Amino acid sequence: MLNIMRADFYRIRHSRSLLFWQLAILGFTAFATFSWGHDSKTTITGWAAITHINNSEGLFLWLLPLIMLVIGTDFSQHLLKDTLTMGVSRLRYFLSKMATMTIILLLQLWALHIVAFLAGSYFGGPGTINWGDWFSQMLVYVLLTLTEMTIITGILYWSGSTTAALTGGVLALVLVSIMHFQFIHTPFFAYADWILAVSDLPTVHLTTLGAVSKPVIGALVMVIGGGILNAWRFEKMSL
């Protein structure tokens, strides 16, 4: 399992796609923060910039290609069969991919926060940083993003198509958000609208989940239940 993770990190670290993606997403974050700082009527700080990034529903969807870079490469390049014939069990392969993706999401959020913090600090200094809130909000963000990974992985394992997985993942998340606005009083959508939940992340503190308690419950059900279903499907699928 650790060997698969090492191989994934080595491949991703030397990937031109990752380099291009980092230049795009980190560059956009810096540009958006500087633009916000210039246009804002009040002086922003580094901490305010981090909160602003956490409050972005767009970033939630921007992370989709990064997920595909981790879990979709073996499918698109037809490397899966070779990997599994090297004595690696399917369960270990599946768990290593999930662990790798979780670590990469954490690293990506850290990188985005650093860029936003530095850009925001240029205008008004670091501001008052609440480390407990920052840590809590980051963990919740990762959990919400793991729902994307679970959905995309499920579509990928059932269809075998990276295109279908990426398209289906985006449509599923956006459709749920749209349906939530149409049927605002339907309880299901309060637990499953993870895009909208991102905009409520500033209400998360060290001792409370604030307005995202229901989405967090829904995310836990999706990640655990969907993960078990995806692992079962991966065990049964033909290569």
Side-chain angles (χ1 to χ4, degrees), residues 166-176:
L166 183 57
T167 305
V170 172
L171 289 177
L173 293 166
V174 173
L175 182 61
V176 167

Side-chain angles (χ1 to χ4, degrees), residues 15-37:
S15 169
R16 291 184 179 180
S17 298
L18 179 67
L19 176 60
F20 172 79
W21 182 247
Q22 293 306 306
L23 289 174
I25 193 170
L26 295 179
F28 178 79
T29 298
F31 172 78
T33 305
F34 274 113
S35 297
W36 180 45

Side-chain angles (χ1 to χ4, degrees), residues 12-221:
I12 293 169
R13 190 170 66 250
H14 292 82
S15 169
R16 291 184 179 180
S17 298
L18 179 67
L19 176 60
F20 172 79
W21 182 247
Q22 293 306 306
L23 289 174
I25 193 170
L26 295 179
F28 178 79
T29 298
F31 172 78
T33 305
F34 274 113
S35 297
W36 180 45
H38 280 295
D39 298 337
S40 179
K41 295 181 180 180
T42 59
T43 302
I44 69 170
T45 63
W47 173 248
I50 290 178
T51 303
H52 186 65
I53 288 297
N54 281 348
N55 204 29
S56 171
E57 298 96 331
L59 175 61
F60 192 72
L61 296 176
W62 268 58
L63 293 173
L64 287 169
L66 183 64
I67 296 173
M68 289 304 303
L69 185 64
V70 176
I71 67 174
T73 301
D74 286 350
F75 281 83
S76 61
Q77 297 184 4
H78 307 288
L79 302 174
L80 182 58
K81 188 173 183 179
D82 292 339
T83 301
L84 294 178
T85 54
M86 294 170 57
V88 178
S89 71
R90 294 196 180 202
L91 180 59
R92 287 186 177 182
Y93 175 89
F94 174 80
L95 292 176
S96 70
K97 288 293 182 180
M98 300 303 104
T100 299
M101 190 67 252
T102 302
I103 294 171
I104 287 178
L105 285 175
L106 276 169
L107 294 175
Q108 182 68 84
L109 286 175
W110 281 341
L112 289 168
H113 285 179
I114 289 172
V115 170
F117 179 79
L118 292 175
S121 296
Y122 170 80
F123 293 97
T128 302
I129 302 174
N130 190 318
W131 292 106
D133 289 356
W134 171 78
F135 183 71
S136 302
Q137 291 172 17
M138 186 179 63
L139 289 183
V140 171
Y141 206 127
V142 170
L143 175 62
L144 295 177
T145 309
L146 288 177
T147 62
E148 294 181 281
M149 181 185 70
T150 305
I151 294 171
I152 289 177
T153 302
I155 298 174
L156 180 64
Y157 288 172
W158 283 95
S159 68
S161 168
T162 54
T163 302
L166 183 57
T167 305
V170 172
L171 289 177
L173 293 166
V174 173
L175 182 61
V176 167
S177 192
I178 293 174
M179 294 293 287
H180 189 192
F181 279 107
Q182 295 295 322
F183 305 99
I184 191 68
H185 298 297
T186 303
F188 168 77
F189 296 113
Y191 290 89
D193 190 355
W194 298 300
I195 292 181
L196 181 62
V198 170
S199 65
D200 291 325
L201 270 181
T203 67
V204 175
H205 303 289
L206 187 61
T207 57
T208 178
L209 291 174
V212 301
S213 56
K214 289 183 178 179
V216 164
I217 293 172
L220 286 171
V221 172

